[in-house]
Amino acid sequence: MSRTLLSRRGLIVSGTALGGLWLAGCDRLSQAPEAAKFLDRDDQLNMSAQRLLLAGQPLAREFKTSEISRVFKANGSIAPQDPAYLALVQSRFANWALTVTGLVQRPLALSLAQLRALPARTQTTRHDCVEGWSAIGQWTGPQLSGLLRTAGLQPHARYVVFHCADTLGDSRYYESIDLFDAFHPQTILAHTMNGQPLAVAHGAPIRLRVERQLGYKQAKYVMGIEVTNSLDHIEGGGGGYWEDRGYEWYAGI
Ligand SMILES: Nc1nc2c(c(=O)[nH]1)N[C@H]1C(S)=C(S)[C@@H](COP(=O)(O)O)O[C@H]1N2
Ligand SMILES: [Mo]
């Protein structure tokens, strides 16, 4: 995977690499209980440092409601045929729950009603698909940052992975983002599009909106959120369905 030195992922990776080097030199020290305490604090400092970087992150452009596209193309999976998903549609997602698992302090399972009751952000943004079309839509849903704070990240958390309900060929759709995008204010789990409950074609019951990234990062049919420190063990290891097929993992625009 090629990356520019200045990519945000590069910053995290090199930060981790430096930490690793430093730790490698301090093996004996780290066996002492006092040092262990210090190391814990060091991890927390990494997280606060990341939060500080986040504070200065620019927002994606937001549009006026009058600029919402009259037609917003539905693309990729538009009617998943997976039996478990069809059963959820049948029951209007009454038995659906979004799970938050992995490197968290408190795993969560939230019903659609619970997600809809959370404070929500509404944003009108432009979606850009690599296939060469764009559309402006209005999205409403809770910020991902709120959910992650409720679940509490473990110190080694690096990525947030979205597991989807749809299968293309014989692979499940999935996506992943780093903590910069996960805590970005415009990163939301949209349950509402243009003021209406999200339609199946657009990813019901919830889909990710990570506004500074291309269309394929906007995971639809999100069933589970997994916090990890590596993407290597998931599906093809590329961090997403399309990334496993050659697309760039970092799809910033
Ligand atoms: N689960 C899932 N998410 C997905 C896809 C998909 O096929 N399955 N397609 C991606 C692509 S390439 C695009 S452009 C957008 C399309 O979103 P839309 O159907 O709301 O236009 O969803 C993205 N998220
Ligand atoms: Mo796309």
Side-chain angles (χ1 to χ4, degrees), residues 145-166:
S145 60
L147 254 68
L148 294 178
R149 287 198 181 101
T150 304
L153 295 189
Q154 290 184 22
H156 301 292
R158 288 289 179 271
Y159 303 102
V160 181
V161 182
F162 303 86
H163 296 284
C164 305
D166 56 319

Side-chain angles (χ1 to χ4, degrees), residues 72-77 127 133 166 173 202 207 215 218 220:
F72 195 117
K73 182 182 156 92
N75 201 38
S77 297
H127 175 106
W133 58 274
D166 56 319
Y173 202 93
H202 292 291
R207 65 104 47 90
Q218 321 295 326
K220 307 196 282 189

Side-chain angles (χ1 to χ4, degrees), residues 118-164:
L118 293 174
R121 188 180 202 281
T122 293
Q123 57 206 30
T124 303
T125 53
R126 196 187 61 219
H127 175 106
D128 296 308
C129 172
V130 287
E131 290 169 11
W133 58 274
S134 298
I136 294 173
Q138 186 189 63
W139 307 97
T140 303
Q143 289 174 316
L144 179 62
S145 60
L147 254 68
L148 294 178
R149 287 198 181 101
T150 304
L153 295 189
Q154 290 184 22
H156 301 292
R158 288 289 179 271
Y159 303 102
V160 181
V161 182
F162 303 86
H163 296 284
C164 305

Side-chain angles (χ1 to χ4, degrees), residues 13-242:
V13 170
S14 55
T16 310
L18 286 177
L21 280 179
W22 184 79
L23 286 177
C26 297
D27 248 10
R28 203 171 307 147
L29 178 67
S30 69
Q31 282 157 18
E34 278 311 305
K37 254 187 242 158
F38 173 71
L39 292 183
D40 279 352
R41 215 157 40 216
D42 190 50
D43 275 324
Q44 282 164 25
L45 279 177
N46 281 341
M47 190 62 218
S48 331
Q50 287 178 8
R51 291 268 168 81
L52 277 177
L53 285 169
L54 289 170
Q57 285 200 72
L59 297 181
R61 178 171 170 198
E62 295 193 17
F63 294 78
K64 297 192 283 263
T65 48
S66 60
E67 295 173 287
I68 292 172
S69 301
R70 264 190 281 154
V71 177
F72 195 117
K73 182 182 156 92
N75 201 38
S77 297
I78 58 171
Q81 293 303 305
D82 307 68
Y85 181 75
L86 290 175
L88 289 169
V89 174
Q90 195 83 46
S91 64
R92 293 171 167 247
F93 302 103
N95 305 318
W96 176 88
L98 174 74
T99 56
V100 182
T101 58
L103 297 180
V104 294
Q105 317 277 357
R106 297 167 291 276
L108 307 175
L110 292 155
S111 71
L112 188 52
Q114 285 173 318
L115 272 169
R116 287 183 165 279
L118 293 174
R121 188 180 202 281
T122 293
Q123 57 206 30
T124 303
T125 53
R126 196 187 61 219
H127 175 106
D128 296 308
C129 172
V130 287
E131 290 169 11
W133 58 274
S134 298
I136 294 173
Q138 186 189 63
W139 307 97
T140 303
Q143 289 174 316
L144 179 62
S145 60
L147 254 68
L148 294 178
R149 287 198 181 101
T150 304
L153 295 189
Q154 290 184 22
H156 301 292
R158 288 289 179 271
Y159 303 102
V160 181
V161 182
F162 303 86
H163 296 284
C164 305
D166 56 319
T167 312
L168 294 169
D170 50 14
S171 299
R172 199 151 275 259
Y173 202 93
Y174 77 107
E175 257 305 336
S176 62
I177 56 178
D178 62 21
L179 296 185
F180 288 90
D181 272 318
F183 282 91
H184 187 273
Q186 286 171 319
T187 300
I188 64 172
L189 296 170
H191 48 60
T192 299
M193 177 187 185
N194 299 341
Q196 301 292 322
L198 192 63
V200 165
H202 292 291
I206 59 156
R207 65 104 47 90
L208 174 68
R209 291 302 309 175
V210 48
E211 299 296 355
R212 298 175 307 165
Q213 302 254 344
L214 289 169
Y216 60 90
K217 301 295 282 191
Q218 321 295 326
K220 307 196 282 189
Y221 318 109
V222 176
M223 301 285 120
I225 293 178
E226 187 192 356
V227 179
T228 68
N229 62 2
S230 160
L231 301 171
D232 299 345
H233 63 288
I234 301 167
E235 298 282 339
Y241 175 85
W242 285 112

